[in-house]
Amino acid sequence: HKQEQQQPQTYAQLDDMFQLSPQASLLGSQNPSGKDWNILLNGGFLGLRNDEWIRDFSALWWYCRCGVRDQNALWLVLFAQWSA
């Protein structure tokens, strides 16, 4: 039987994503857990624009983490930044 030709996969570059929203400094991913709750923002997959806001955000996030655990600190700092 005839084998179908696969199309090459194309991926967006991070700069292309930031072009969609020039004022954005942070791009993130929510990953569904398949449970009754989902992760708000996955700290393992973030896009960061090198600007003053993200440098301040990152420094505060790093400061607030507890050992190797950084997920709760990420959320805490994100909510604090949004409410400021």
Side-chain angles (χ1 to χ4, degrees), residues 1-68:
H1 69 317
K2 188 175 166 182
Q3 186 177 14
E4 290 185 31
Q5 189 176 21
Q6 290 184 342
Q7 296 294 323
Q9 291 184 336
T10 58
Y11 300 96
Q13 298 294 317
L14 188 56
D15 288 338
D16 296 334
M17 293 179 175
F18 276 121
Q19 289 295 324
L20 297 172
S21 182
Q23 73 273 19
S25 295
L26 172 69
L27 296 173
S29 170
Q30 177 200 41
N31 55 329
S33 65
K35 300 177 183 173
D36 291 336
W37 53 273
N38 291 317
I39 293 175
L40 171 68
L41 182 64
N42 182 353
F45 183 77
L46 295 175
L48 309 174
R49 186 190 303 263
N50 187 8
D51 61 19
E52 184 178 0
W53 187 89
I54 206 64
R55 287 188 297 271
D56 291 344
F57 175 86
S58 299
L60 190 54
W61 175 25
W62 189 257
Y63 176 80
C64 290
R65 67 189 174 82
C66 181
V68 296

